[in-house]
Amino acid sequence: MPPRRPRLSDSITEQIERLIVNGELKPGDSLPSERDLAKQLGVSRPSLREALLVLEGRGLVQARRGGGFGVTDITGPTITDPLVHLLQRHPSTVDDVFELRHGLECVAAYFAAIRATDDDAKRLHKMSTTMSKRRNVRDPFEDADLDADFHMAIAEASHNVALVHVMRGIFNLMRSNMMRSREVMYRQPGNVALLDEQHAEIVKAIVARDHDAARAAANLHLSFIQNSLREIAAPALKRTPARPKPKT
């Protein structure tokens, strides 16, 4: 029996999936209009409609109110939100999050230095400059948003599809961790300038295409935060009275 001839809609489905995997279509992006997308792919609109229904069934795109389709955020809500709430109730897991960030963000900086485009480099420089200009504001909530966006941009500059999708999946977790860290670190005003300088060093190494320096700068940045948190928190822990032992 001869193999089944692939339908045109199957080919269209694969093309759109490839755009999502490659990061050309990002979570939340709206797909072009049916007419424009059919023209862009060089296919008929009925075949495109069939492909979109298949993608919707797979949970990769979703119909928008008022018409059209958008790319589904297939990682964020289902992975991050319950995890964020769980870790917020257990502060002792802060080091676990930093270990995870160490692995991902150092790798991201390393490959960003190898693969970043000129546009990537300009974007990172602009984001780093924006954060440093907020030095006198010191709002841990807004600064954490900028910080998380900055490290996400480094991951995107790595052009490693798997890494980008994983980083997007833990974005809320990263942002929560950064907010809690900045709340503690802002007790010592000098830390704000140091964080800005460390971000600038990461960008400098990426722009210089020095992958080893970029990874080292990311490692130094995260190690500094982790060690600072321990030093700042240590006196508070010492002042906390010990729990009385239960009577036997």
Side-chain angles (χ1 to χ4, degrees):
M1 183 177 180
R4 181 179 72 88
R5 184 177 180 180
R7 295 179 299 178
L8 178 58
S9 60
D10 294 335
S11 175
I12 299 169
T13 301
E14 290 179 7
Q15 288 183 67
I16 297 175
E17 282 186 343
R18 197 175 300 118
L19 292 174
I20 295 173
V21 168
N22 291 340
E24 294 177 54
L25 286 174
K26 298 179 174 62
D29 282 355
S30 295
L31 295 180
S33 67
E34 189 177 285
R35 176 184 297 175
D36 291 342
L37 188 56
K39 185 176 180 180
Q40 179 182 328
L41 299 176
V43 298
S44 67
R45 291 173 70 176
S47 296
L48 174 61
R49 283 193 205 105
E50 187 177 348
L52 290 172
L53 290 174
V54 171
L55 291 167
E56 186 178 24
R58 294 177 182 175
L60 295 175
V61 302
Q62 56 188 3
R64 292 276 174 86
R65 289 181 180 178
F69 286 85
V71 181
T72 307
D73 187 351
I74 56 176
T75 55
T78 56
I79 295 178
T80 61
D81 291 342
L83 187 57
V84 169
H85 296 316
L86 174 65
L87 297 182
Q88 283 176 338
R89 293 196 299 272
H90 297 275
S92 60
T93 59
V94 167
D95 279 344
D96 292 342
V97 178
F98 270 107
E99 288 177 4
L100 176 62
R101 288 184 59 193
H102 250 108
L104 293 175
E105 293 179 30
C106 288
V107 169
Y110 180 89
F111 285 109
I114 296 174
R115 301 173 182 152
T117 64
D118 290 341
D119 286 342
D120 291 330
K122 290 176 183 177
R123 181 187 178 199
L124 290 171
H125 183 267
K126 182 178 180 180
M127 296 175 85
S128 174
T129 302
T130 299
M131 282 188 284
S132 65
K133 286 181 178 178
R134 286 179 51 82
R135 196 171 290 176
N136 296 324
V137 179
R138 289 175 49 189
D139 183 326
F141 293 93
E142 291 189 23
D143 292 349
D145 284 341
L146 293 172
D147 202 352
D149 288 341
F150 172 73
H151 286 283
M152 188 68 239
I154 292 175
E156 290 171 350
S158 77
H159 295 278
N160 180 304
V161 175
L163 177 61
V164 170
H165 280 281
V166 170
M167 289 282 280
R168 284 199 189 117
I170 65 165
F171 184 80
N172 288 342
L173 178 60
M174 285 171 51
R175 183 169 52 191
S176 174
N177 178 259
M178 290 171 181
M179 186 269 291
R180 293 168 67 90
S181 300
R182 283 180 178 265
E183 281 184 311
V184 175
M185 294 190 71
Y186 281 8
R187 297 174 194 170
Q188 297 180 353
N191 284 336
V192 181
L194 290 172
L195 290 173
D196 291 338
E197 290 170 10
Q198 290 162 11
H199 284 151
E201 284 299 312
I202 297 172
V203 175
K204 180 181 177 182
I206 291 173
V207 172
R209 311 297 179 187
D210 189 336
H211 48 76
D212 288 330
R215 179 167 55 189
N219 177 65
L220 176 63
H221 172 57
L222 289 163
S223 297
F224 168 74
I225 297 172
Q226 197 168 12
N227 291 333
S228 296
L229 291 175
R230 288 170 179 165
E231 291 174 6
I232 295 170
L237 292 174
K238 289 179 181 178
R239 290 194 298 267
T240 303
R243 281 185 174 182
K245 293 183 179 179
K247 294 180 179 180
T248 57

